[in-house]
Amino acid sequence: MTSMRAVVRRGPRLLLADVPDAVPGAGQVVAKTLACGICGSDLHAVHHLEHGVEIGLRSGASDTIDPSQDLVLGHEFCAEILDHGPGTEKTLKVGTRVVSTPFAFGPVGPELIGFSTRYRGAFAERLVLTEALLLPVPNGLEPEAAALTEPLSVGEHAVGIAAPSKQSVALVVGCGPIGLAVIVALKRRGIGPVIAADFSPARRALAEKLGADIVVDPAVASPQGNWSTFDVPATLAEAGQWAMTGRSTRDAIVFECVGVPGMLQNLIENVPPTAHVIVVGACQEDDRILPVIAINKQLRFSFVFAYSPPEFAEVLRALGEGEIDSGIFLTGKVALAEVPAAFTRLETPGADVKIVVQPWR
């Protein structure tokens, strides 16, 4: 049996190893990995995979991961078709650069590539993909930029669920990769003002480059301090006063892109009345809230996950047309042997946004 190189999660650590080569089954292709971004969920999986599996099962997901086995992560990828498996249409020829939503169809239903011990992820020289899900990379878009389709689609979906209007004022709390993706999706829709808050000066600078109208350092000023300026009543008392005087108002949409315990309660206490809170940050610990405050303020919460195929395709189109500045996101490129060190680097938030793995290097 032939083999290939891959970075595997073995216990709570990453190592470079030889794994069985990628072999396509019916309706599948085998592809060479050209680029694959490192996601925050990958970082979490290295040290907390067993907890993640438990959460998935409690959520009703299929049992697709055996934590005792080697796991190859990586779901934000661009690849090149090498060969077609049996029963494929061969619509896209060998050599075509492609992206895909990271799903495969196994015996227990859909499985997430990179979070399955049946379908290995893209931190490997080659991977198996479902032909029916492949999208060709348009306009000579570089693989590293095309690999951003997946994380940017998360922001596209979050903003789609928020359904902002021209009257909406948006606050993005946390300017990591997902918060920045939300800002991109908001500005592409012409929404403004967009307020962005993050403790990191580097991330605030990137948010501004991507179109945020106001950037706030929460250590210096409250991210909630601008609402009244933009005709959003900041408190119940202010809302009552404005209603009495007939003052016109705008609506508030708040994107929670941090995902740490205490953040939801902080927002419940501080966002304006009737605000719509979109929870994108994936807190994986128990948390506590006081619901009656949210009731008094008539807040609305939407918890969002992933994206739809049309949203994924739209982001790829926008990248291919140059409507999104991919260079702002791409802050590092590493070979397979450098992946463990890159994970360590990303565990301490700094200037990095997206580090891309290039297994061919």
Side-chain angles (χ1 to χ4, degrees):
M1 178 181 293
T2 58
S3 64
M4 63 178 180
R5 294 191 313 154
V7 174
V8 302
R9 186 263 186 193
R10 184 175 296 166
R13 66 191 186 106
L14 294 174
L15 54 92
L16 186 61
D18 288 329
V19 301
D21 210 343
V23 179
Q28 298 174 337
V29 304
V30 62
K32 173 184 177 181
T33 306
L34 300 177
C36 183
I38 299 174
C39 177
S41 58
D42 297 324
L43 300 179
H44 189 270
V46 174
H47 299 291
H48 307 287
L49 182 63
E50 290 78 8
H51 180 54
V53 170
E54 177 196 353
I55 289 173
L57 294 176
R58 288 172 63 184
S59 302
S62 299
D63 187 1
T64 65
I65 302 177
D66 180 353
S68 68
Q69 294 185 31
D70 287 352
L71 178 68
V72 179
L73 297 162
H75 59 279
E76 304 176 355
F77 53 80
C78 173
E80 178 184 312
I81 297 175
L82 295 176
D83 197 10
H84 298 82
T88 48
E89 299 289 335
K90 300 182 175 61
T91 304
L92 299 176
K93 305 303 181 186
V94 169
T96 303
R97 290 181 175 182
V98 295
V99 295
S100 167
T101 54
F103 292 96
F105 302 101
V108 295
E111 300 195 29
L112 186 58
I113 292 172
F115 289 98
S116 163
T117 41
R118 187 177 289 106
Y119 295 101
R120 293 191 295 262
F123 295 155
E125 292 178 309
R126 291 172 289 280
L127 74 164
V128 170
L129 299 173
T130 301
E131 184 190 41
L133 299 179
L134 299 180
L135 295 174
V137 174
N139 299 338
L141 187 66
E142 290 297 318
E144 295 76 23
L148 292 171
T149 305
E150 201 279 342
L152 289 174
S153 295
V154 176
E156 180 74 13
H157 178 64
V159 174
I161 293 296
S165 73
K166 298 298 183 182
Q167 287 297 106
S168 301
V169 180
L171 168 63
V172 180
V173 182
C175 297
I178 298 305
L180 295 176
V182 167
I183 292 171
V184 167
L186 286 166
K187 299 311 293 186
R188 289 185 63 231
R189 287 167 169 78
I191 303 302
V194 172
I195 307 161
D198 199 289
F199 289 105
S200 164
R203 289 183 171 182
R204 291 197 303 274
L206 293 173
E208 195 166 26
K209 285 183 179 179
L210 289 168
D213 301 285
I214 297 173
V215 293
V216 179
D217 179 356
V220 176
S222 170
Q224 311 284 345
N226 295 284
W227 294 116
S228 300
T229 305
F230 298 115
D231 296 325
V232 177
T235 65
L236 278 172
E238 193 167 66
Q241 292 170 356
W242 290 14
M244 292 288 290
T245 60
R247 178 172 170 174
S248 62
T249 62
R250 301 176 69 178
D251 64 292
I253 302 177
V254 179
F255 296 86
E256 193 283 285
C257 303
V258 180
V260 297
M263 182 56 68
L264 295 184
Q265 181 60 27
N266 177 283
L267 294 178
I268 286 172
E269 294 186 20
N270 291 294
V271 300
T274 72
H276 187 184
V277 180
I278 312 298
V279 183
V280 200
C283 180
Q284 302 197 38
E285 303 174 52
D286 289 339
D287 204 357
R288 296 181 64 181
I289 63 170
L290 184 58
V292 70
I293 299 178
I295 291 170
N296 290 342
K297 296 168 74 172
Q298 298 191 79
L299 303 180
R300 181 157 55 108
F301 278 74
S302 295
F303 295 80
V304 300
F305 172 75
Y307 37 76
S308 68
E311 289 165 338
F312 190 90
E314 166 57 21
V315 170
L316 177 62
R317 184 206 63 78
L319 282 165
E321 294 294 332
E323 296 175 9
I324 300 173
D325 185 352
S326 60
I328 291 177
F329 288 85
L330 298 169
T331 54
K333 302 173 185 177
V334 298
L336 282 177
E338 301 169 304
V339 169
F343 269 62
T344 300
R345 175 173 146 190
L346 288 168
E347 285 171 358
T348 303
D352 280 305
V353 179
K354 186 62 62 177
I355 295 179
V356 175
V357 181
Q358 299 171 320
W360 49 266
R361 289 176 60 185

